Amino acid sequence: MADPLGERDEAAAALNLVGAAAEPYLRSLPDRLVHDRTRDVLLDELDGPLPERGAGAVAGVERLLRVGTEAGTHSAGPRFFHFVVGGATPAAVAGDWITSLLDQASGLWATSPFAARAEGVVLRWLKELFGLPESWGGVLTPSATLAHVSGLACARFWWADRHGVDVTARGLAGLPAMPVLSSGYVHVSTRKALQILGCGRDTLRTFALDDTGRLDLAAMEAALAEIGGPAVLVGNVGEVNTGDSDPIEPLADLAERYGAWLHVDGAFGMFSALSPRTAHMARGVERADSVTVDGHKWLNVPYESGFSFVRDASLPGRAFGAWGAAYLPDADDEHVNYNMLGPESSRRARALPIWATLYAYGREGYRAMVERHLDVAAHLGGLVEGDPDLELLAPVRLCVVCFRYRPRGVPEERLDDLNARLGAALLADGRVYAGTSTYRGMTVLRPAIVNWRTTVSDIELFVEVVRELGAEKAG
Ligand SMILES: *Cc1c(COP(=O)(O)O)cnc(C)c1O
């Protein structure tokens, strides 16, 4: 096989292979191991020299499907509780396929008015879903990390402007370090975004009341008073170990009082706004200046998907700006060009799976899913509390349950090692998937429940497997 032009009629055949594999694969997900290490031998089939003579579309797709459906991590299934990993709803998967089928370049309105219009619509729907004002600006990003880059680039532009510098044109040279203040709940991705923006990852200062990381508002206020100039506050809705949130209203009050910028990381936690049971956790976010949310977590859209929202809709254009090339549109183009509002240039039509899933399930559907996850998490919290060999380490407030295995007779100093070995055993076992983290100096499990497929029976199996493997490791 040589030139793909010779295969122009093979595309449908190759796609049909994927379509035919989809049904049995998706049907098998609830019963599969999350990861079957015995299948890793198949990975060798991906390897080898660059083909001189190609095998053709059908042969390539066949091989990739066979290896992928066996040796892939089946995190789209209901029992992947590690990190915070969402699945993909039926509508979102299909919407994602359409994205590839149509292969839209969605950075410029001129390349695809369809993709630009879809992005505008989903950004408006998402603002409505999260209770953010319609007047805010926004852009779709590949991840929450890149949404931080988008939002914090606006913060940096605003901050440098206060110092009389156009940072987009001139950079940071000659400016002092940008003060960034948060609680101990701050996620590492915020530091990475600051690093990418040239602000340095270690310039961020945290103010915590205790080893949980909980915000020390008084200490933060004292620091702000001492800084005496423009600063950036980072509020966190949904911390990765416990799901807890910073109090956003008091942070917004502080930002107002000291003229600071308030950035909120609601990567998964912003979905608390969907249920009256948890809406208090996100209360006040509408008073922030920039907000980050993930699509590939609790919205259950395939990777990669994130959203950046900015109060002053004129700022993203100034922070990222026009290209200044004759063949590209100007900043004052009559149409929106999303690649001028964020860090990317060429980009896929990221809006399509989001449009498909929001159209399919609506606000009601997402609220029902979020509330089911709240129930599943609360149920797990109850099982942990009722079990003398398990220790709940933080109240269950959202979709993350922080606990450790603590069987009678095992001394405190052995518990970290025992739980680390239990976490490794869970990942190797594959019936359920959850690794460890460190919380208040302890090695802990912190399963996160954000996959649309997950139900109470999945979490009950999780507890059974934890007890079984825990007993093995302790014995
Ligand atoms: C996952 C997560 C991020 C980073 O998200 P990516 O999409 O992986 O870049 C940021 N903040 C919080 C709280 C998260 O859970």
Side-chain angles (χ1 to χ4, degrees):
M1 191 63 57
D3 190 333
L5 191 61
E7 280 218 307
R8 71 190 125 200
D9 300 326
E10 291 301 302
L15 287 171
N16 283 339
L17 285 177
V18 184
E23 222 244 302
Y25 178 71
L26 293 173
R27 202 161 7 86
S28 75
L29 272 177
D31 305 314
R32 273 177 184 262
L33 296 179
V34 178
H35 193 120
D36 185 348
R37 301 284 176 206
T38 67
R39 314 304 282 169
D40 283 356
V41 290
L42 288 172
L43 298 178
D44 286 341
E45 291 192 37
L46 298 179
D47 218 328
L50 168 70
E52 203 52 55
R53 203 184 146 71
V58 165
V61 167
E62 253 168 12
R63 178 176 289 226
L64 196 54
L65 267 174
R66 188 163 44 76
V67 174
T69 53
E70 292 302 320
T73 300
H74 309 299
S75 48
R79 288 184 299 280
F80 187 104
F81 302 121
H82 205 7
F83 310 112
V84 184
V85 170
T89 65
V93 179
D96 204 59
W97 284 18
I98 297 173
T99 312
S100 292
L101 176 68
L102 301 180
D103 190 24
Q104 307 287 285
S106 73
L108 300 171
W109 185 87
T111 56
S112 176
F114 161 68
R117 185 69 189 271
E119 184 152 351
V121 171
V122 301
L123 285 166
R124 180 164 52 78
W125 285 357
L126 289 165
K127 281 182 272 188
E128 206 177 315
L129 193 67
F130 300 132
L132 299 175
E134 192 180 337
S135 61
W136 283 30
V139 68
L140 299 179
T141 65
S143 64
T145 303
L146 269 291
H148 286 331
V149 169
S150 308
L152 290 171
C154 293
R156 188 183 66 153
F157 181 90
W158 162 88
W159 169 81
D161 190 54
R162 287 284 184 286
H163 288 274
V165 172
D166 175 357
V167 75
T168 304
R170 304 194 56 85
L172 290 163
L175 285 165
M178 180 170 85
V180 186
L181 293 68
S182 190
S183 74
Y185 286 177
V186 69
H187 190 265
V188 286
S189 60
T190 296
R191 293 183 185 275
K192 184 165 184 177
L194 290 168
Q195 168 199 338
I196 293 168
L197 290 167
C199 298
R201 64 161 72 200
D202 295 339
T203 56
L204 185 140
R205 292 168 65 192
T206 57
F207 300 86
L209 283 171
D210 54 33
D211 62 354
T212 65
R214 199 148 74 86
L215 173 66
D216 185 342
L217 197 68
M220 181 184 270
E221 172 152 22
L224 271 176
E226 197 177 314
I227 290 164
V232 176
L233 309 182
V234 178
N236 307 284
V237 177
E239 188 269 339
V240 289
N241 279 321
T242 70
D244 197 15
S245 294
D246 290 327
I248 302 298
E249 286 282 15
L251 279 172
D253 291 340
L254 213 56
E256 216 169 86
R257 210 149 56 239
Y258 290 87
W261 180 283
L262 177 58
H263 174 76
V264 171
D265 178 356
F268 65 91
M270 267 314 284
F271 286 80
S272 62
L274 273 61
S275 168
R277 289 158 53 184
T278 46
H280 59 275
M281 298 178 77
R283 198 159 296 140
V285 173
E286 70 287 350
R287 294 172 58 198
D289 295 286
S290 52
V291 177
T292 285
V293 190
D294 246 327
H296 49 224
K297 290 178 181 169
W298 222 343
L299 193 65
N300 280 260
V301 162
Y303 289 93
E304 306 152 337
S305 184
F307 333 124
S308 167
F309 302 105
V310 178
R311 163 184 299 280
D312 179 347
S314 76
L315 272 177
R318 287 192 278 163
F320 291 97
W323 297 98
Y327 77 107
L328 292 169
D330 292 328
D332 59 1
D333 193 45
E334 60 175 312
H335 299 294
V336 61
N337 294 291
Y338 282 101
N339 70 6
M340 294 186 195
L341 306 181
E344 296 174 282
S345 303
S346 298
R347 54 210 280 282
R348 67 198 264 105
R350 202 163 280 133
L352 307 193
I354 302 169
W355 188 94
T357 201
L358 288 175
Y359 189 84
Y361 313 113
R363 191 202 289 275
E364 278 300 313
Y366 271 95
R367 173 176 157 174
M369 181 195 70
V370 164
E371 293 189 340
R372 172 160 49 82
H373 291 155
L374 297 177
D375 290 340
V376 171
H379 184 66
L380 173 56
L383 292 176
V384 168
E385 274 192 306
D387 191 321
D389 292 343
L390 302 176
E391 181 186 13
L392 189 67
L393 295 169
V396 181
R397 295 190 170 94
L398 199 59
C399 56
V400 184
V401 180
C402 187
F403 73 101
R404 65 178 174 170
Y405 183 54
R406 186 180 192 165
R408 285 148 295 192
V410 175
E412 178 68 37
E413 66 271 16
R414 276 194 52 212
L415 288 176
D416 284 347
D417 176 61
L418 176 57
N419 279 276
R421 287 187 297 124
L422 170 56
L426 285 169
L427 298 184
D429 182 86
R431 278 174 289 171
V432 297
Y433 217 71
T436 55
S437 178
T438 303
Y439 178 65
R440 301 179 56 205
M442 295 173 277
T443 301
V444 301
L445 295 165
R446 30 84 48 221
I449 297 141
V450 292
N451 186 305
W452 67 277
R453 290 177 181 272
T454 302
T455 62
V456 161
S457 63
D458 297 302
I459 216 66
E460 289 180 342
L461 178 63
F462 172 75
V463 173
E464 263 175 53
V465 176
V466 164
R467 290 195 50 94
E468 175 195 316
L469 298 179
E472 247 172 54
K473 296 294 157 194

